[in-house]
Amino acid sequence: MENFFHMSARGSSVGQEVRAGLTTFLAMAYIIAVNPSLLEAAGIPSGAAVTATCIGAGIMTILMGLFANRPLACASGMGINAVVAFTLTGLCDGDWHAAMAVIFIEGIAILILVLCGLREAIMDAIPASQRHAIAAGLGLFICLIGLINGSIVVNDDSTLITMGALSDPNYIVAMIAIFSTFVLYCMNVPGEILIGIVIAVIVGIPLGVTATPTGIVSSLDFSTFGAPFLTDESGVMGIAKVVASPVLLMFVFSLMMSDFFDTMGTAFAVAKQGDFLTADGKVEDIRPILIVDSCAAAVGGLVGASSITTFVESASGAADGGRTGLTSITTGVLFVLAAFFAPLIAVVSSPATTGALVLVGFLMMDQVQDIDWNSKLDGLPAFITLAGIPLTYSISTGIGLGFITYVVVACATGNAKKVKPLMWVAAVAFLVSFLIS
């Protein structure tokens, strides 16, 4: 095991990796309930959606650990699953098989780009200041996700967002999760993130936030597997509908842009916490990560789980000591087991993970010190990226705004020659994506 994962060389151990894998799983466990609830709106049976969500996430996370040997976990991506449920299925005349075919084709397209070296080349073309801004922006985004999950930040008709009610049990559990995690972190207690989650789960029992499990074991339903090649009432395969529709093929491009750069931002964020981000902001061993992630997108469509992507919550496990693929394998195995014990896993509420996400957000903010704020070319685009990711609630949108700003500022300051060709391509592609979305 040591020869395969190189734990000692990365300052880790089996116990540390397993603990980190459990932390990552608990931080991501909400997807087991959330994804099926969204896909059910698209017409997918709930039981089948649970099976697809857990098995798809488990298999691809295990493969990430085996092939990339980095602490990254995969699951159905938030955002795209909502697009599948409320937009894409409608464009497919209510046929969720065709919607999953769009996801499947999008994943294959990204995989081709990776194998051709284009995806990696674009990442290498990104200026160091933008890489640091993406990582810091992800920190704010992760923190915002945690605060929303804990009802500390809520919707408001007048100000868009505001602070939640202190009397809300979710708010109370989330605050306890934050401060218990902070205290443990300040006391240098190993496993502070995982312990903070456990404390919050326990506190949530009398407050009614930690739900009583509706059961222990659940049966598996594989009826969504092979979705793109299944037929609707008319006898037409979903993938055939997509290939014949220019509108759906255009949707493939739009989703590809989102998946393409979401993963890039997540990789930067987790690499920072997992100590595999170089001094100039590059992710070590990025190619196998991108290959597995691209395959995951296609597999998500194939099994009917929506696009499976690398989860930014992976940073919580990396922050808890995860350094190798054993962290991912642990998380993946837990996802597979969760397919059988989904009612039991559901007791880990979103507020209970708030402390983990907020602390990870804090740890990622040290990236801002590596940005030259006195330089217009570095500072202005970095600021747009840093602010854009959390404020648009989209990793890819924030990155796109930053790229476009970088090109514009470079031209305005007489530095157009500093913009690498692929940055021009990426900026134009984002602009087109924004215009057609």
Side-chain angles (χ1 to χ4, degrees):
M1 185 177 290
E2 173 61 32
N3 291 335
F4 186 88
F5 293 111
H6 310 295
M7 287 176 285
S8 296
R10 297 182 184 178
S12 187
S13 64
V14 173
Q16 184 172 313
E17 295 294 307
V18 171
R19 185 192 69 211
L22 177 57
T23 296
T24 298
F25 173 74
L26 292 177
M28 295 172 60
Y30 68 87
I31 199 67
I32 298 173
V34 174
N35 195 53
S37 68
L38 286 172
L39 296 183
E40 195 172 6
I44 299 175
S46 178
V50 170
T51 298
T53 299
C54 293
I55 299 299
I59 290 174
M60 296 316 302
T61 300
I62 290 171
L63 290 176
M64 182 68 81
L66 291 174
F67 288 98
N69 195 22
R70 294 296 182 184
L72 294 154
C74 304
S76 300
M78 290 298 296
I80 291 183
N81 52 9
V83 171
V84 168
F86 303 113
T87 302
L88 191 51
T89 302
L91 290 175
C92 297
D93 298 323
D95 183 9
W96 59 266
H97 305 95
M100 290 301 170
V102 171
I103 300 297
F104 176 73
I105 294 173
E106 175 253 332
I108 296 297
I110 293 182
L111 178 59
I112 292 172
L113 293 179
V114 173
L115 295 177
C116 292
L118 181 59
R119 197 176 186 186
E120 189 174 353
I122 289 177
M123 292 184 72
D124 289 339
I126 301 171
S129 59
Q130 283 297 102
R131 296 188 193 123
H132 294 306
I134 291 169
L138 260 293
L140 291 176
F141 186 53
I142 291 172
C143 176
L144 180 60
I145 291 173
L147 295 176
I148 291 174
N149 286 349
S151 298
I152 296 174
V153 171
V154 297
N155 292 331
D156 185 86
D157 293 336
S158 301
T159 60
L160 296 182
I161 59 175
T162 188
M163 188 173 78
L166 276 67
S167 58
D168 185 346
N170 291 314
Y171 185 109
I172 296 171
V173 170
M175 291 302 293
I176 290 173
I178 291 173
F179 287 114
S180 61
T181 303
F182 280 10
V183 169
L184 292 168
Y185 171 74
C186 293
M187 295 174 64
N188 298 315
V189 176
E192 71 278 10
I193 294 178
L194 176 58
I195 296 172
I197 293 174
V198 173
I199 290 173
V201 169
I202 294 172
V203 171
I205 295 175
L207 293 174
V209 175
T210 300
T212 302
T214 56
I216 297 178
V217 179
S218 57
S219 59
L220 303 187
D221 181 348
F222 296 97
S223 61
T224 62
F225 280 52
F229 304 99
L230 299 178
T231 60
D232 62 0
E233 294 80 2
S234 64
V236 180
M237 287 193 301
I239 197 166
K241 290 183 179 181
V242 178
V243 173
S245 172
V247 173
L248 293 179
L249 289 175
M250 186 62 71
F251 228 94
V252 169
F253 170 75
S254 179
L255 292 177
M256 186 173 67
M257 287 293 292
S258 177
D259 253 356
F260 194 106
F261 290 97
D262 272 8
T263 299
M264 184 183 70
T266 298
F268 285 140
V270 181
K272 172 60 181 175
Q273 295 305 312
D275 291 334
F276 56 103
L277 192 69
T278 64
D280 59 351
K282 292 184 178 181
V283 180
E284 297 176 6
D285 305 320
I286 187 63
R287 187 173 178 82
I289 293 173
L290 295 178
I291 290 175
V292 176
D293 178 82
S294 302
C295 291
V299 168
L302 185 64
V303 302
S306 183
S307 181
I308 296 175
T309 186
T310 307
F311 250 51
V312 71
E313 284 87 347
S314 302
S316 62
D320 203 20
R323 293 295 179 268
T324 76
L326 185 56
T327 293
S328 300
I329 292 174
T330 301
T331 303
V333 169
L334 289 171
F335 264 114
V336 172
L337 291 176
F340 298 92
F341 300 99
L344 196 60
I345 302 300
V347 303
V348 180
S349 65
S350 295
T353 66
T354 298
L357 300 181
V358 172
L359 180 62
V360 170
F362 160 74
L363 295 174
M364 292 168 62
M365 287 307 296
D366 67 346
Q367 289 289 299
V368 297
Q369 65 186 338
D370 296 317
I371 300 171
D372 184 1
W373 295 105
N374 293 317
S375 166
K376 296 182 178 67
L377 181 58
D378 289 336
L380 286 172
F383 173 72
I384 293 299
T385 300
L386 184 66
I389 291 175
L391 294 182
T392 63
Y393 210 76
S394 168
I395 300 171
S396 59
T397 300
I399 291 174
L401 292 173
F403 281 15
I404 294 170
T405 303
Y406 185 85
V407 170
V408 171
V409 172
C411 293
T413 57
N415 291 300
K417 292 183 178 180
K418 291 185 177 181
V419 182
K420 295 183 179 181
L422 285 178
M423 270 294 286
W424 284 100
V425 172
V428 171
F430 267 119
L431 182 59
V432 172
S433 177
F434 291 158
L435 290 173
I436 66 175
S437 62

